[in-house]
Amino acid sequence: MARWIGRLNEGSLLRRTLMYIGTFVLGSLTFVGVMSLLLVSVARAVLPPRNADGSAAEATEEAESDTASGTSKTALGKTSRSKRPRPPLPAERESAPSAD
């Protein structure tokens, strides 16, 4: 083992730098992978299921059908509002025929 570590320290500066960068990248990817698996498993254990009766698939199908129809939301995800009718302006009231 000591020979192997000593051999890694030999060689050109470029070779040693690339080895250090490769080791750092591999260690970082390993760390991120392990932490993400750990956090996902903890979140699944802590958070309750989506529906108490276990029908999460039905809820996702309903959500997909609502978004596919496009009736509930606009393209930007905002719900469309219905506009209130505005009262007529005084000029419009005078020109409109009266019911008298």
Side-chain angles (χ1 to χ4, degrees):
M1 180 83 175
R3 264 195 219 170
W4 186 71
I5 293 174
R7 288 181 63 202
L8 289 178
N9 220 7
E10 296 173 359
S12 68
L13 180 62
L14 177 64
R15 184 176 180 184
R16 286 183 286 163
T17 303
L18 290 176
M19 185 197 60
Y20 294 143
I21 291 172
T23 305
F24 176 75
V25 168
L26 184 64
S28 298
L29 289 175
T30 303
F31 177 76
V32 168
V34 169
M35 289 306 292
S36 64
L37 284 174
L38 180 70
L39 289 174
V40 167
S41 62
V42 167
R44 284 186 179 169
V46 171
L47 295 175
R50 196 178 272 182
N51 291 338
D53 59 352
S55 61
E58 293 174 7
T60 55
E61 288 175 6
E62 290 175 9
E64 288 174 359
S65 66
D66 287 345
T67 56
S69 66
T71 57
S72 62
K73 295 190 177 189
T74 61
L76 296 176
K78 296 179 180 177
T79 56
S80 59
R81 295 187 209 170
S82 59
K83 294 185 177 181
R84 288 187 295 161
R86 295 189 335 180
L89 296 174
E92 293 175 353
R93 276 189 247 151
E94 292 173 4
S95 65
S98 61
D100 294 332

